[in-house]
Amino acid sequence: MARGHGRILTGIWEDPDFLKLDEREQRFYLFLISQPNLNHAGLLPLTLRRWSGKARGLGEADLHWHLEALQAGGLVEVDQLEEELFVSGYFQHSGIGGQPRVVAAAYDAIAASASFTLRGIASVELSEAITKAPSPAAPRGLRAQVLRRDGWQCRGCGWSPGDYIPPAPSGRLLYRGLELDHIHPKSLGGPNTLENFQVLCTTCNTRKGARV
């Protein structure tokens, strides 16, 4: 079902990655985040031909250029094979982390995505939105590298978004997503480097805690 509105918090104007974009790239990012068929997971079908009709003089070549610029800045991830993209920052800028029903819908939308790659990236950002982290564990550009290296799944148990989630002993369903963990905890001086990050699911990361 198409959305009737696109909510964007004013905090987007404090996002350093968004502010690095030029005016045309910012406008295209806002274009993507306000599309009526953007789902609760920030995922959107890649429909360049249809988008090119939304502004006079806008062609598919221009859209390719804008997408490449946003992807280079870590604000969009594209799966050309599945013809789908993820708008990075959607959860942060729409403020859904504190809305349990929307979070549940977002997780369902992630699990339904055909893109293994985009499921991993969206899951990490949803986990950050739920914990309301003041800043991502890893910069956007580094995040994709860590996920790609670890195969878009938990290094502890092999879980990936869309896999079965065992309920709690009480029978209550538990949230599980992918998270980026400092192997050597940041609180103990661990650096923000590719070698010091690993992908863990919520369960494995909780068990590990602030330990090496």
Side-chain angles (χ1 to χ4, degrees):
M1 182 176 180
R3 300 185 302 163
H5 67 281
R7 181 186 183 196
I8 304 173
L9 302 180
T10 57
I12 192 171
W13 297 105
E14 298 175 3
D15 183 337
D17 292 318
F18 180 74
L19 296 179
K20 289 177 184 176
L21 303 175
D22 68 26
E23 183 269 338
R24 292 174 300 171
E25 293 162 0
Q26 287 184 344
R27 187 167 64 242
F28 185 57
Y29 180 84
L30 295 174
F31 171 87
L32 294 176
I33 209 170
S34 61
Q35 285 301 295
N37 59 339
L38 183 76
N39 67 24
H40 287 298
L43 295 163
L44 185 66
L46 188 61
T47 53
L48 297 182
R49 182 174 297 178
R50 183 174 66 81
W51 293 341
S52 66
K54 299 299 181 180
R56 186 179 61 191
L58 182 63
E60 290 186 47
D62 301 304
L63 292 171
H64 274 295
W65 187 88
H66 290 320
L67 277 176
E68 288 178 359
L70 291 185
Q71 190 161 17
L75 287 167
V76 161
E77 291 294 336
V78 181
D79 188 324
Q80 296 286 352
L81 182 62
E82 299 295 346
E83 298 184 323
E84 188 175 29
L85 66 82
F86 171 66
V87 182
S88 181
Y90 167 71
F91 302 124
Q92 173 190 352
H93 300 315
S94 61
I96 77 165
Q99 305 175 56
R101 292 184 180 179
V102 183
V103 168
Y107 182 80
D108 288 343
I110 289 173
S113 171
S115 172
F116 192 66
T117 298
L118 299 185
R119 290 204 305 268
I121 294 174
S123 180
V124 167
E125 291 207 15
L126 180 58
S127 295
E128 291 173 349
I130 292 170
T131 59
K132 297 182 180 179
S135 60
R140 285 192 175 106
L142 186 58
R143 174 191 299 155
Q145 294 181 54
V146 177
L147 283 160
R148 188 177 300 111
R149 184 202 63 197
D150 290 355
W152 318 96
Q153 59 189 6
C154 175
R155 286 180 64 175
C157 66
W159 183 89
S160 64
D163 290 349
Y164 173 70
I165 302 176
S170 63
R172 182 173 61 89
L173 293 177
L174 298 175
Y175 169 78
R176 181 184 289 187
L178 293 182
E179 302 179 1
L180 296 188
D181 168 66
H182 286 84
I183 298 172
H184 188 84
K186 188 174 182 180
S187 60
L188 300 178
N192 287 333
T193 60
L194 176 63
E195 296 75 20
N196 194 44
F197 279 112
Q198 64 180 342
V199 177
L200 294 178
C201 70
T202 303
T203 302
C204 290
N205 201 14
T206 301
R207 287 173 181 163
K208 176 179 178 287
R211 299 190 302 272
V212 177

